[in-house]
């Protein structure tokens, strides 16, 4: 006689989780019914995640979830279950607004972040402009110093005013 120990079957459920043979899915376990091999809930509500089904059932009802999943193609079902689960979680947290409340909160945060970004960009432009002005002033000063050094270097002494230079030459000629 074979033992009653459950053995894993080789197939994987949606989401990459191994399904145990003869183990009811979270949906059938909660509803206290026998889980058939072709159970619509089995791939999406594994036995190790009972709260996922409980929350979806509380908000939408098992019958409605079953109808929704049966109307979808198999490749759309996992996304639908994830959406239903998210909406159920949000509806249980905030029974009045549900996920719309979260969306509104995130939109407000996004607007504030956009304002903060605009302010930071404006401040950056202002700082860059000030830096550019300081660099230009510095370049002008360096050019002026270079010109002054060039003038001193070419005459060997600081240049005199035109009249002073003329008097110096005449005095030099007399002596």
């Amino acid at each position: 006689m074979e033992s009653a120990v459950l053995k894993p079957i080789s197939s994987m459920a949606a989401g990459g989780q191994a399904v145990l043979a003869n183990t009811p899915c979270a949906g059938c376990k909660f509803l206290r019914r026998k889980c058939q091999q072709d159970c619509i809930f089995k791939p999406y509500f594994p036995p190790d995640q009972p709260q996922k089904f409980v929350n979806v059932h509380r908000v939408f009802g098992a019958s409605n979830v079953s109808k929704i999943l049966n109307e979808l193609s198999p490749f759309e079902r996992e996304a639908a279950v994830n959406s239903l689960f998210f909406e159920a979680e949000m509806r249980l947290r905030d029974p009045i607004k549900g996920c719309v409340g979260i969306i509104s909160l995130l939109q407000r945060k996004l607007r504030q972040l956009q304002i903060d970004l605009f302010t930071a960009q404006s401040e950056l432009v202002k700082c860059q402009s000030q830096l550019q002005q300081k660099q230009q002033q510095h370049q002008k000063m360096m050019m002026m110093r270079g010109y002054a050094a060039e003038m001193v270097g070419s005459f060997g002494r600081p240049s005199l005013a035109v009249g002073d230079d003329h008097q110096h030459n005449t005095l030099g000629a007399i002596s």
Side-chain angles (χ1 to χ4, degrees):
M1 191 168 164
E2 292 186 20
S3 73
V5 175
L6 300 177
K7 297 178 183 175
I9 59 174
S10 61
S11 66
M12 299 292 275
Q17 298 186 359
V19 178
L20 299 177
N22 299 327
T23 302
C25 67
C28 291
K29 189 172 184 177
F30 180 79
L31 298 171
R32 296 181 181 178
R33 67 181 191 192
K34 183 174 182 184
C35 191
Q36 302 297 322
Q37 190 65 24
D38 62 343
C39 174
I40 192 75
F41 299 133
K42 194 170 198 161
Y44 312 107
F45 299 103
D48 62 338
Q49 297 178 10
Q51 198 59 42
K52 185 175 181 179
F53 181 80
V54 170
N55 290 350
V56 171
H57 172 66
R58 280 184 189 159
V59 174
F60 298 103
S63 178
N64 289 330
V65 174
S66 176
K67 288 176 189 174
I68 290 169
L69 293 178
N70 281 321
E71 289 177 4
L72 297 173
S73 64
F75 67 91
E76 295 174 309
R77 290 176 183 164
E78 187 171 1
V81 168
N82 290 336
S83 294
L84 291 168
F85 178 63
F86 179 75
E87 176 64 33
E89 285 283 311
M90 296 303 107
R91 188 62 63 184
L92 292 171
R93 285 187 197 171
D94 184 351
I96 296 169
K97 294 180 183 175
C99 68
V100 173
I102 299 296
I103 291 168
S104 297
L105 173 71
L106 293 174
Q107 285 176 335
R108 283 193 304 273
K109 285 183 178 181
L110 178 61
R111 278 193 298 273
Q112 185 59 49
L113 288 171
Q114 288 171 331
I115 290 169
D116 294 346
L117 178 61
F118 179 77
T119 303
Q121 287 173 331
S122 298
E123 189 67 26
L124 179 62
V125 168
K126 180 181 170 185
C127 290
Q128 287 174 334
S129 175
Q130 289 174 349
L131 177 64
Q132 188 177 15
Q133 287 175 353
K134 286 183 181 185
Q135 287 174 338
Q136 288 172 350
Q137 289 173 351
H138 180 71
Q139 286 175 348
K140 286 180 183 177
M141 292 229 345
M142 294 306 288
M143 286 176 52
M144 291 176 72
R145 285 183 183 166
Y147 180 72
E150 188 178 296
M151 293 301 289
V152 169
S154 66
F155 293 111
R157 64 183 194 282
S159 67
L160 302 172
V162 175
D164 293 341
D165 191 31
H166 177 61
Q167 288 175 353
H168 183 269
N169 285 339
T170 24
L171 289 174
I174 296 176
S175 0

